[in-house]
Amino acid sequence: MASVIQGLDALMRWVVQTAGVAVMMPMILFLLALVFGAPPGRSFRAALRVGIGFTGLFLVLGMLINGLSPAVQTMARRFSLSLDILDIGWPVLAAISFGTPFAFTVFIVIFLWNIFLILVRFTKTLDVDLWNYWSMAYVFSMIWVTTQNVALGLVGAVIYATLLFKLADWTAPVLAGYFRMPGISLPHGDTVIWAPIGFALDALWERIPRLREISIDPEVIQRRLGVFGESTMVGLAIGLLIGALAYVGPGMTPEEVASVLKLGITTAAFMELMPRMIALLMEGLIPISESVRAFMTRRFPGRELYIGLDAAIVTGFPPIVATALILIPLALPIAAVLPGNRVVPFADLAVFVFLLIWAVAPSRGNIFRGLLNGILVFIPLMLWVATDTAPVVTQVAHQVGAQVPADQMVTAMAAGFKTLSWPILELIWFLTGYRTDLLRLFLALGYLALYFGLWGLVRHRPQAFLPRGGAS
């Protein structure tokens, strides 16, 4: 039995870490299409298109992150914020997730749990995005390293995964109606957990008379500014602004001038290329999704099944990109004045586009509301959670052998993205005696009560995104 588990663990490690998303996803989707009765040739072609689409998508996303990273790091150093916890980026969290024993066994357990939940009709989402199971393995690793209790770690990871699947089900109508991706859901641990908060804030703004009338979206911008309102022009302008904040000043060198101009072109290119990569990806996904839908209609009338994918597939929508690019420079002054924050925004500023998906989508792309949500709630909450978990992240990172500075407390702002795993971890740490602070316990319980209360209040809002009489 032990050898079987080790073999499965090795296979999962190869699939997730060695082969990568662009290989893993076509393999899984090809097999899925065959299981659901699609012709082999059509299935292979569709799966290949998915692999090509993901390759292009991550190339373009990598281009943006690589272009932004030097600028935002220079900007952070330039403003020399008096904060003592360094954001060294989400890879440290992935190192924690993959660096503990049993990490890939967790992947297998979560996948089997997902199948079980589908069979008992608890969820409609089949999460084939195995790479992003690392956010669930992160919960396991944070519990296992601090308590040495494998069973408790698995319980924490399974609870977190279950919530992600339900949130993915709940938001699937938005994928169908707003993003035009029917049959798809996003059980992504760093993003979908923000959906109830985004919908609750959108409901609040709609109750404020003058505020609810303000709408800024790409169509409005283009209508008012003409050619200068096109998404590529907006990307160019925002990229130049970020570059100027990072590099413009006395003694500016020719290399820095080039860096500003390159960043402008990079952000403009992202705005142009990302929708094309998503369209290519959807060329492969739609036939597979239709095969799944046809099978379910034929064999199980009245049942639906969503294919759970990486949230990267929606990061190229212009309102989301524009909101993220505007908020990147604003995150630094927010961090400086936010009471209780100790984190210097640094490496993960470049992946803000993930954080802000559900700051923008509930309002159907209203950039103004996305900015309000980001400034007033999303960024502060992220920084507070990242600050609170930083001591544990630093300790665990050292214990699993992650490359972190020896004398520096570190975190990743992506740890702050995980606002639903944070209270789960706090509760387990309190129950096991790892953390005994009653204030933290009450904050975690209060946050969970508020979170699920808001989710209940806005539970019907995603359905409004569906076409009348349509299905998700």
Side-chain angles (χ1 to χ4, degrees):
M1 184 63 183
S3 61
V4 172
I5 293 174
Q6 289 174 354
L8 289 173
D9 191 84
L11 175 63
M12 190 63 72
R13 187 179 296 272
W14 178 83
V15 168
V16 174
Q17 278 195 307
T18 307
V21 174
V23 174
M24 172 190 71
M25 293 301 293
M27 289 170 57
I28 294 172
L29 290 172
F30 174 65
L31 294 174
L32 184 68
L34 293 180
V35 167
F36 285 101
R42 184 168 177 260
S43 301
F44 184 81
R45 182 182 183 277
L48 180 61
R49 301 294 278 185
V50 169
I52 295 168
F54 266 112
T55 299
L57 186 148
F58 284 114
L59 282 173
V60 175
L61 191 58
M63 174 192 72
L64 178 70
I65 292 171
N66 292 335
L68 280 174
S69 291
V72 298
Q73 291 171 15
T74 300
M75 195 161 43
R77 288 192 295 268
R78 188 176 202 179
F79 290 107
S80 58
L81 305 180
S82 55
L83 302 168
D84 64 337
I85 301 175
L86 182 63
D87 161 35
I88 62 173
W90 68 267
V92 70
L93 305 185
I96 289 172
S97 301
F98 296 133
T100 52
F102 315 108
F104 289 91
T105 302
V106 178
F107 282 56
I108 297 168
V109 170
I110 296 297
F111 183 74
L112 294 176
W113 178 247
N114 186 195
I115 299 297
F116 171 76
L117 293 180
I118 291 170
L119 292 175
V120 299
R121 303 192 178 203
F122 186 82
T123 183
K124 301 176 183 178
T125 291
L126 176 61
D127 189 357
V128 299
D129 180 24
L130 297 184
W131 159 253
N132 279 304
Y133 278 29
W134 78 262
S135 67
M136 307 164 204
Y138 165 79
V139 175
F140 168 84
S141 297
M142 292 287 276
I143 295 170
W144 182 82
V145 171
T146 52
T147 69
Q148 296 296 299
N149 190 319
V150 173
L152 201 56
L154 286 173
V155 168
V158 165
I159 290 172
Y160 187 53
T162 304
L163 292 171
L164 295 182
F165 299 148
K166 291 303 289 183
L167 285 163
D169 290 348
W170 180 62
T171 53
V174 184
L175 272 291
Y178 175 60
F179 292 111
R180 300 291 187 267
M181 297 180 179
I184 305 298
S185 68
L186 304 178
H188 187 259
D190 290 350
T191 58
V192 73
I193 56 176
W194 292 90
I197 299 171
F199 275 104
L201 289 170
D202 197 60
L204 173 64
W205 306 140
E206 288 179 0
R207 291 179 178 273
I208 302 175
R210 292 191 178 180
L211 202 61
R212 70 186 177 203
E213 298 166 7
I214 302 175
S215 178
I216 302 174
D217 58 40
E219 289 74 21
V220 170
I221 294 173
Q222 187 165 358
R223 188 165 60 247
R224 292 184 178 179
L225 299 181
V227 66
F228 293 103
E230 293 179 359
S231 61
T232 50
M233 293 292 188
V234 173
L236 174 66
I238 297 173
L240 291 174
L241 174 62
I242 294 172
L245 290 171
Y247 300 113
V248 171
M252 186 179 182
T253 65
E255 290 77 14
E256 289 173 330
V257 173
S259 294
V260 174
L261 298 176
K262 285 180 181 178
L263 184 56
I265 295 298
T266 296
T267 51
F270 182 84
M271 297 289 265
E272 177 69 24
L273 295 175
M274 195 62 161
R276 300 190 184 204
M277 295 303 103
I278 293 171
L280 183 61
L281 180 68
M282 291 309 298
E283 282 183 29
L285 283 175
I286 287 174
I288 296 172
S289 176
E290 288 175 348
S291 297
V292 172
R293 189 181 295 260
F295 179 90
M296 296 300 291
T297 302
R298 187 170 63 252
R299 296 290 183 89
F300 305 100
R303 289 200 64 181
E304 288 183 288
L305 187 67
Y306 306 130
I307 299 174
L309 296 176
D310 192 326
I313 65 173
V314 300
T315 55
F317 279 70
I320 296 171
V321 179
T323 302
L325 292 177
I326 293 169
L327 285 175
I328 284 172
L330 295 179
L332 295 168
I334 291 171
V337 301
L338 183 67
N341 173 56
R342 295 170 55 194
V343 174
V344 184
F346 195 62
D348 276 344
L349 283 172
V351 294
F352 252 33
V353 68
F354 285 89
L355 170 68
L356 296 164
I357 291 169
W358 295 104
V360 179
S363 62
R364 301 175 187 267
N366 188 333
I367 297 172
F368 176 74
R369 292 190 188 180
L371 293 173
L372 277 183
N373 295 342
I375 292 168
L376 298 179
V377 177
F378 278 56
I379 293 175
L381 182 56
M382 174 204 66
L383 289 170
W384 281 325
V385 172
T387 296
D388 185 69
T389 55
V392 187
V393 168
T394 303
Q395 174 197 338
V396 175
H398 283 300
Q399 286 184 239
V400 302
Q403 297 298 310
V404 296
D407 56 349
Q408 170 73 54
M409 189 178 295
V410 298
T411 190
M413 285 198 298
F417 291 8
K418 303 176 191 302
T419 53
L420 194 52
S421 63
W422 164 70
I424 294 172
L425 291 173
E426 290 291 350
L427 289 174
I428 291 175
W429 286 334
F430 184 84
L431 292 173
T432 57
Y434 177 74
R435 273 187 165 180
T436 57
D437 189 338
L438 281 174
L439 177 59
R440 278 198 174 96
L441 175 65
F442 290 142
L443 284 174
L445 291 172
Y447 180 78
L448 284 174
L450 177 62
Y451 185 89
F452 287 107
L454 292 175
W455 190 359
L457 287 173
V458 298
R459 64 188 181 279
H460 299 303
R461 293 182 74 87
Q463 292 297 321
F465 283 75
L466 291 174
R468 291 188 182 277
S472 57

